[in-house]
DNA sequence: GTAATACTTGACTATTTTAGTCGGGTATAT
DNA sequence: ATATACCCGACTAAAATAGTCAAGTATTAC
């Protein structure tokens, strides 16, 4: 089980932003330099964050992105969702009656994996952007 | 975040086995048929389970695999480990002093991802094969 | 003793996913 | 005007996944 870079970078970038005065637009270029994330990749990521109302954009010189809400109210689960990222531990389609084996009942392990999915989603549900900043006295 | 089929099948196959009288060898062919998992793939999986002392093999006619220990004592974490499967949510090498950004300190989000890793591993650590069988009255 | 069953092992491969890049935009402040 | 910075779709190299294949060996049943 691996976490992909897109989600990781998204959280990293947003965490970076929330260390600065809110309402001040922050350019992706700055984030890119500070966090060593490819600018072009960040653009892709932020487009999705914007579409999902997590940030808003300010165009033109001195433009950039601004957090749309208080970091306290931005849950990690929202960020993941914004990037179309899902925790998928079951092998079947949840909506379907069929199991991962193609048969008409769910397999022996279905319940287990479902439980795991809920368990992991819980983690994301209970973390806000703000929770990352408790250590305000860090350098990076 | 996705779970791969190898881990999923491994647990499924072992769960299948633990529903039958222990000490009776069960052939992969049977498991393959019952659980609709490719026989050739199962062979690959069981080789690793064997190397990691989770099952033992009995060759020849009426042979198959036998659980080496009580299902109560086989933790999911062991099964995953046997298949070289790791939960990896951090972007960096844990042992290294460097962060995922190549810099000399760990990044802003490192602690978060590390926490998540521990959290997920906990789930696997606290589940045994036996926990899957509480519903003994299932068909599949 | 020979056939059938079933494990053993390493190598190989198609497909999918990931982790980005590229090109050509548009809007805004100075 | 011009530089900055967001916007957007399409593209691609590389890695991971999900298997398959070939060529065995050991054991039991007849
Ligand atoms: S995981 Fe849902 S049926 Fe197997
Ligand atoms: S995840 Fe470890 S340094 Fe970024």
């Amino acid at each position: 089980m691996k976490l992909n870079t897109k989600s990781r970078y998204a959280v990293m970038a947003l965490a970076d932003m929330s260390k600065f005065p809110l309402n001040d637009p922050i350019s992706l270029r700055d984030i890119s330099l500070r966090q060593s994330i490819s600018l072009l990749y960040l653009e892709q990521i932020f487009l999705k964050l914007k579409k999902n109302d997590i940030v808003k954009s300010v165009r033109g010189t001195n433009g950039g992105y601004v957090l749309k809400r208080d970091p306290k109210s931005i849950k990690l689960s929202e960020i993941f969702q914004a990037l179309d990222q899902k925790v998928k531990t079951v092998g079947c389609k949840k909506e379907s009656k069929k199991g991962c084996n193609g048969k008409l009942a769910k397999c022996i392990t279905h319940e287990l994996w479902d439980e795991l999915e809920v368990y992991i989603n819980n983690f994301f549900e209970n973390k806000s952007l703000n929770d990352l900043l408790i250590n305000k006295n860090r350098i990076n």
Side-chain angles (χ1 to χ4, degrees), chain A:
Chain A
M1 300 199 76
K2 243 188 246 169
L3 187 64
N4 58 11
T5 56
K6 235 170 198 161
S7 314
R8 202 165 40 232
Y9 290 166
V11 175
M12 206 183 297
L14 290 171
D16 179 301
M17 286 178 70
S18 50
K19 285 188 308 184
F20 292 87
L22 312 173
N23 307 324
D24 258 24
I26 298 177
S27 73
L28 293 186
R29 196 175 150 276
D30 286 355
I31 297 177
S32 166
L33 289 172
R34 276 197 296 264
Q35 304 299 333
S36 308
I37 303 170
S38 146
L39 174 59
L40 291 153
Y41 206 19
L42 275 177
E43 290 187 339
Q44 217 183 94
I45 292 168
F46 270 75
L47 233 34
K48 297 218 175 190
L49 292 177
K50 187 192 165 190
K51 273 186 191 146
N52 284 271
D53 274 339
I54 293 171
V55 295
K56 61 184 174 195
S57 67
V58 180
R59 299 179 84 154
T61 312
N62 295 325
Y65 284 96
V66 181
L67 286 179
K68 211 161 171 183
R69 285 180 280 130
D70 191 87
K72 270 200 189 64
S73 80
I74 301 178
K75 292 185 286 183
L76 294 197
S77 56
E78 292 182 78
I79 301 174
F80 274 58
Q81 221 165 45
L83 295 165
D84 313 306
Q85 230 54 59
K86 285 194 186 102
V87 175
K88 175 149 175 130
T89 57
V90 297
C92 59
K93 286 191 185 132
K94 282 251 186 87
E95 324 78 59
S96 167
K97 283 278 174 205
K98 280 188 193 167
C100 58
N101 43 25
K103 293 181 189 164
L104 252 138
K106 296 294 185 180
C107 76
I108 337 176
T109 51
H110 180 88
E111 264 176 74
L112 171 74
W113 305 130
D114 200 28
E115 192 184 332
L116 175 56
E117 227 171 79
V118 171
Y119 180 80
I120 297 177
N121 279 323
N122 248 14
F123 183 93
F124 295 129
E125 195 64 28
N126 292 316
K127 284 274 178 197
S128 75
L129 213 47
N130 198 59
D131 294 335
L132 306 193
L133 303 174
I134 291 160
N135 261 7
K136 289 259 186 186
N137 54 333
R138 32 193 324 139
I139 338 107
N140 37 5

